[in-house]
Every structure is written in structure tokens, then in C-alpha cells.
Amino acid sequence: MRDPDGLIARAGVRGDPDRDQHFLVDDRVLDRLPTYLEAIDADTSHLLEIGGGTGALTDRLLAVGEEVTVVERDRVLAEFLREEFADEIAAGELTVVEGDALEVDLPDFTASVSNLPYGVSSEIAFRLFPEGKPLVLMFQQEFAERMVAEPGTSEYGRLSVSSQHFADVELVESIPKEAFSPPPAVQSAVIRAVPREPDYEIDDEDFFLRFVKALFTQRRKTIRNAIRNTAHISELAEPEAVVEAADEDVLRKRAGAMAPAEFAALARLAIDVGEPER
């Protein structure tokens, strides 16, 4: 495997916290990341990496995947990847896509392993989740803990419901600051997301996610008041009709105590009687 510090030296770059660039340089962590896919027997025939940096993780993914596509926004780093991995590119094993992961067309990948830029990690994650593929993603520790949180805990929120709607999400490893160059201000963590169908039915996924977002903006209010106060977010034309039709036990709850299936049932009711915008 290529040495992470050697890659940085050959690239002639330094990580830049102001640009959300923290290069993962701990060999042990880099070596472990692909194993989280292997542990679930995931299809590794075409791996996607978001934020290739200087290629330390790219190198490990090439060792386990038949084909790897790496998306890198930084022009200098994308050019370095093309030079460093010229042989792998020539062999058809690696494709380097220069551009913003939120804007470029993604390939038909089978799984993704990525050390995401933390400033846009939420947006990228929710671009990847609907693809329905296994994901091993690195986030800030606090963000990862919110993804896996259970109802009734202080960390549970919109992120928990939205993430767990798409997949079984597990925090598999915490990563110390010293594993990066330069060290970030916060600790990091790795989650593994295994896609599956939710154990509840929804009629409109876009509305469901928007409705969850709306109710969590008023997490200290009862569901009754949250429905009434957030029609501008949920885009319900008749929020009062939802309140009148909903079960009183649900209306007394707060968003942080609602399981995903309860949100789904309430969202179905809201679609039936609340006249949401489509």
C-alpha cells in the first residue's frame, strides 16, 4: 500500500482546514475501512470514493475493488491522482472525476467508502442514501452519533429518522484527531449503512422527509403545535385538518419521542387530509 505521508509529499500539498481538507494518514484506519464492506459481504465490483485527496484511501480501495471511481473537487489534487495512478487508470481500474460530488453525475457504483468533506457531509450522504447501496462513510463524531440515535435520546432528531429511513446505520469506529493531517478540531467516526426497505409504508417519500424536517424544527413543542406552526415548511394547506384527524396520544408527544414508523403513519394521514403541495 502507498504510504499516506509519501503521497502528501509527492503531491506537494498541505491539508487546509479553511477548505475542509484533512488528509487521513493513519495506515491502520485506512486499512480497516474497506473491511467494513467485506464484513457484510458487499459487492465491491465498483467502489465510489467521494473526496479522494491524495489517494491514500483510493489505493486501499483498488486492492479490494475491481473498479474504483473517485470524485475530487480540488483541481490540483485531481491532477495529482491522475498522475499518481496513471497505470491503474490505463488499466481501466480507476476513474478520476474532477468536480463537486453534489453536482457531477455519479456512476452506477455498488458501494461507497469515503472520508467526506465535513462541511457538506450531510448533503453528500443524502445524495448517496437514496442510491440504495452499502456505504462506509466518515463524519464528525457528533454527526455520526445523531445518525444512529434512538427515539427518546438527546441525539435523536431529523438526521436519525432520515438516515434510518434508508438503511440500518451503525457507528463502527471512532477516529482520533491525530489520524489526520492536519488534525481537525473534532473527533471523527465511521458509520456503515446497509440499505433496506423501511418497516412502514409511505405514500410520498419527499413529503415524508419534509414533514419530519418540519416537526423537528419545533422539537420542544407538542406534535399538535408543531403541525400547526410548520405548515410553511411541510407545505400543508390544511394543518388543522391533520390535527383534528390525528390520535390524541400522538398529538401529545414531541418529535424526539416519535419512532420513524409513527412519523410515517402521521405523514400518511397528513397526505390524506392536509392537502400538501405536490
Side-chain angles (χ1 to χ4, degrees), residues 206-272:
D206 288 340
F207 174 74
F208 168 72
L209 296 173
R210 188 170 74 237
F211 190 56
V212 169
K213 173 184 176 181
L215 297 184
F216 270 108
T217 64
Q218 302 246 316
R219 65 179 300 145
R220 297 184 184 279
K221 303 289 187 181
T222 62
I223 293 297
R224 171 186 281 105
N225 289 330
I227 293 171
R228 288 169 170 164
N229 295 345
T230 60
H232 62 293
I233 300 173
S234 63
E235 300 180 14
L236 286 172
E238 298 292 339
E240 197 60 39
V242 181
V243 170
E244 291 175 0
D247 186 276
E248 183 64 28
D249 288 341
V250 172
L251 294 174
R252 290 197 190 104
K253 290 187 175 183
R254 288 171 172 75
M258 293 269 287
E262 293 178 289
F263 280 108
L266 190 57
R268 291 196 301 271
L269 176 66
I271 289 172
D272 289 342

Side-chain angles (χ1 to χ4, degrees), residues 13 38 50 64 96 113 137 158 190 196 206 219 232 273:
V13 296
E38 295 170 348
I50 303 296
V64 300
V96 176
V113 183
L137 305 175
R158 170 200 173 194
V190 179
R196 50 106 180 96
D206 288 340
R219 65 179 300 145
H232 62 293
V273 303

Side-chain angles (χ1 to χ4, degrees), residues 30 32 66 88 102 116 134 162 254:
L30 286 161
R32 280 197 299 270
E66 297 172 25
E88 290 85 349
L102 297 175
L116 298 179
S162 301
R254 288 171 172 75

Side-chain angles (χ1 to χ4, degrees), residues 53-118:
T54 57
L57 179 56
T58 309
D59 192 44
R60 272 72 179 173
L61 298 183
L62 284 164
V64 300
E66 297 172 25
E67 183 180 358
V68 176
T69 295
V70 57
V71 179
E72 175 53 57
R73 182 179 61 181
D74 186 288
R75 179 184 58 81
V76 172
L77 291 175
E79 179 59 30
F80 171 73
L81 291 172
R82 286 190 286 264
E83 294 174 358
E84 177 70 26
F85 294 93
D87 290 344
E88 290 85 349
I89 292 171
E93 299 169 358
L94 176 66
T95 300
V96 176
V97 177
E98 181 180 335
D100 190 324
L102 297 175
E103 299 175 358
V104 301
D105 292 332
L106 298 179
D108 186 19
F109 65 97
T110 60
S112 178
V113 183
S114 301
N115 173 22
L116 298 179
Y118 290 167

Side-chain angles (χ1 to χ4, degrees), residues 125-196:
F126 284 100
R127 184 170 189 196
L128 296 177
F129 271 128
E131 297 288 332
K133 306 293 172 59
L135 308 173
V136 175
L137 305 175
M138 192 177 301
F139 298 100
Q140 292 184 12
Q141 175 92 24
E142 180 183 355
F143 188 92
E145 290 174 350
R146 287 161 52 203
M147 293 182 88
V148 304
E150 296 293 328
T153 63
S154 60
E155 294 84 8
Y156 183 73
R158 170 200 173 194
L159 179 62
S160 318
V161 177
S162 301
S163 302
Q164 295 166 34
H165 169 69
F166 291 106
D168 288 324
V169 187
E170 177 186 5
L171 198 160
V172 293
E173 182 174 359
S174 294
I175 309 295
K177 304 174 187 179
E178 295 73 25
F180 300 86
S181 176
V186 296
Q187 185 155 309
S188 303
V190 179
I191 66 98
R192 177 173 57 202
V194 180
R196 50 106 180 96

